[in-house]
Amino acid sequence: GKGSSTKRETLGGFVRYSTQSTVRDRDEREEELARWFNCAFTEQPLETGDGKLVMDKLGRVYNKEGVLNALMLKATEGIKLPQRLEHILGMKALLTLKMHRVAGAGEKDKKKESVNAANCRLDAAAKFSCPISGLDFNGKTKFFALSPSGLVVSERALRDAKDAVADMLGEGVELEDQTRIPVNPKGEEADKMKEALEDEAAKKAAKKRKKDLKKNGGVEVSQGSPDENKEVELVAGTGIKSSKREWNGCDELGNEQLRAQAKRWRAADHAPDGDDVSKKAYASLFTGTNAETREKETFLSRNARRGW
């Protein structure tokens, strides 16, 4: 409807602006506090509805709708993702969180159009808490998100009440099978998570290069290759070469290959047995006239006699 369209246009403007803007200077403590109350992308208050929050592999928490719309704008309109979202390739890279909401949380936010680090400090009542230990989700206590379940609990609950955490996961889900992802990590822990994400991306790129090499008969096609400008013959026997390569699974050689194949194919080479006159007549079915014959022709009368 009109409302959703206006909302989408507003978000689109924010995405465009975010790609050029820089992060404002903030007090370190305010910045730390804001991460537990605001979306890491839009900086708007974290939503309190079920399934409204997601987390990336770096432990950053987002409003699901904001990230989803940013990815949609990239896919449909080609708008580049802001730097803070560049590592997110799709919704599959995000974990939907199961948060325990504090009673009455979210009512004050309805009166606010926006939130920043400063008013987070003034309004520091936690929106969420650990469902087992009761500790507030406000940056003063360490929390973990369990993947793939999405359950968010405090470190104390995982240490002192494992059975209770296991019960919350539900029947058939084992706590030992869950990966513990720190929420809003900092310092050395954040650096290690970033390195792990970069290593994962490097392994995927290496796997793709290996697959492309096999697909292209040993010809390197990945971006950044030292041989990326080396010319290769498009169609064997034509002598027509190009330095273009296949990028991201999309074949960019298609048009050149077609042109090369067209130049290679000659109608006269496929003419039936006979004298030269017969071969020329056959070839004329597929080719245009030369300059000499065009002078003897009139409009729409290539095969007609002038006397008609």
Side-chain angles (χ1 to χ4, degrees):
K2 184 176 180 181
S4 60
S5 176
T6 303
K7 186 174 183 180
R8 183 171 178 272
E9 290 172 0
T10 301
L11 181 60
F14 175 79
V15 173
R16 293 184 179 91
Y17 172 75
S18 297
T19 60
Q20 301 175 356
S21 65
T22 57
V23 179
R24 299 185 302 273
D25 293 332
R26 292 174 174 170
D27 179 87
E28 186 176 347
R29 289 175 298 175
E30 292 176 353
E31 178 69 28
E32 175 62 25
L33 184 62
R35 295 199 301 164
W36 296 84
F37 288 85
N38 294 349
C39 170
F41 168 45
T42 64
E43 298 187 4
Q44 295 300 304
L46 291 176
E47 298 185 14
T48 55
D50 294 339
K52 294 291 186 178
L53 302 183
V54 293
M55 189 174 74
D56 63 13
K57 294 182 179 180
L58 296 177
R60 300 169 184 168
V61 182
Y62 306 90
N63 286 329
K64 186 175 184 178
E65 184 180 3
V67 180
L68 179 61
N69 278 279
L71 292 172
M72 181 187 68
L73 289 172
K74 177 187 176 183
T76 59
E77 300 181 20
I79 299 176
K80 185 179 179 181
L81 289 176
Q83 186 176 2
R84 66 186 77 176
L85 294 183
E86 284 181 343
H87 61 288
I88 300 176
L89 302 180
M91 292 304 293
K92 290 183 179 180
L94 298 171
L95 175 67
T96 300
L97 301 179
K98 297 177 182 177
M99 307 288 291
H100 178 261
R101 187 176 67 175
V102 175
E107 294 179 358
K108 293 182 180 180
D109 293 332
K110 294 180 181 179
K111 301 178 182 179
K112 300 178 182 178
E113 295 183 356
S114 62
V115 164
N116 55 36
N119 57 33
C120 263
R121 179 181 57 192
L122 297 175
D123 181 23
K127 298 180 180 182
F128 307 100
S129 65
C130 174
I132 298 172
S133 67
L135 294 172
D136 287 340
F137 185 85
N138 59 7
K140 297 180 181 180
T141 306
K142 193 168 186 177
F143 275 74
F144 288 91
L146 303 181
S147 177
S149 72
L151 179 65
V152 177
V153 293
S154 65
E155 182 181 36
R156 181 183 296 182
L158 289 170
R159 183 182 65 243
D160 300 337
K162 289 184 179 180
D163 291 341
V165 176
D167 290 341
M168 290 204 67
L169 289 174
E171 187 177 353
V173 181
E174 300 294 334
L175 179 59
E176 291 74 16
D177 297 333
Q178 300 291 307
T179 301
R180 302 181 183 185
I181 305 176
V183 179
N184 291 325
K186 55 185 178 179
E188 185 178 349
E189 186 175 43
D191 293 338
K192 288 182 178 180
M193 292 177 69
K194 185 176 181 180
E195 289 177 4
L197 183 62
E198 291 173 349
D199 289 343
E200 181 181 349
K203 289 179 181 178
K204 288 182 178 179
K207 184 177 180 180
K208 184 180 183 302
R209 283 196 297 270
K210 185 177 180 180
K211 183 178 179 180
D212 289 342
L213 281 171
K214 183 178 180 180
K215 178 181 177 181
N216 292 276
V219 178
E220 178 65 61
V221 297
S222 60
Q223 187 172 6
S225 168
D227 295 329
E228 63 182 3
N229 294 320
K230 181 179 178 181
E231 291 191 343
V232 295
E233 193 169 28
L234 297 179
V235 180
T238 63
I240 300 175
K241 297 182 178 181
S242 173
S243 60
K244 289 190 176 181
R245 289 291 190 276
E246 183 178 330
W247 301 94
N248 299 324
C250 299
D251 187 3
E252 296 186 359
L253 300 180
N255 291 334
E256 294 193 45
Q257 286 177 329
L258 290 174
R259 285 196 293 269
Q261 291 171 342
K263 291 180 180 179
R264 186 182 183 190
W265 194 90
R266 296 175 66 250
D269 295 338
H270 302 274
D273 295 336
D275 54 24
D276 292 339
V277 176
S278 299
K279 289 184 178 181
K280 289 181 180 180
Y282 177 82
S284 70
L285 298 175
F286 303 94
T287 59
T289 59
N290 55 38
E292 181 179 353
T293 56
R294 280 199 299 270
E295 292 180 357
K296 301 178 181 180
E297 296 176 359
T298 59
F299 181 65
L300 294 179
S301 61
R302 175 178 177 185
N303 295 317
R305 294 200 302 264
R306 288 193 175 185
W308 284 11

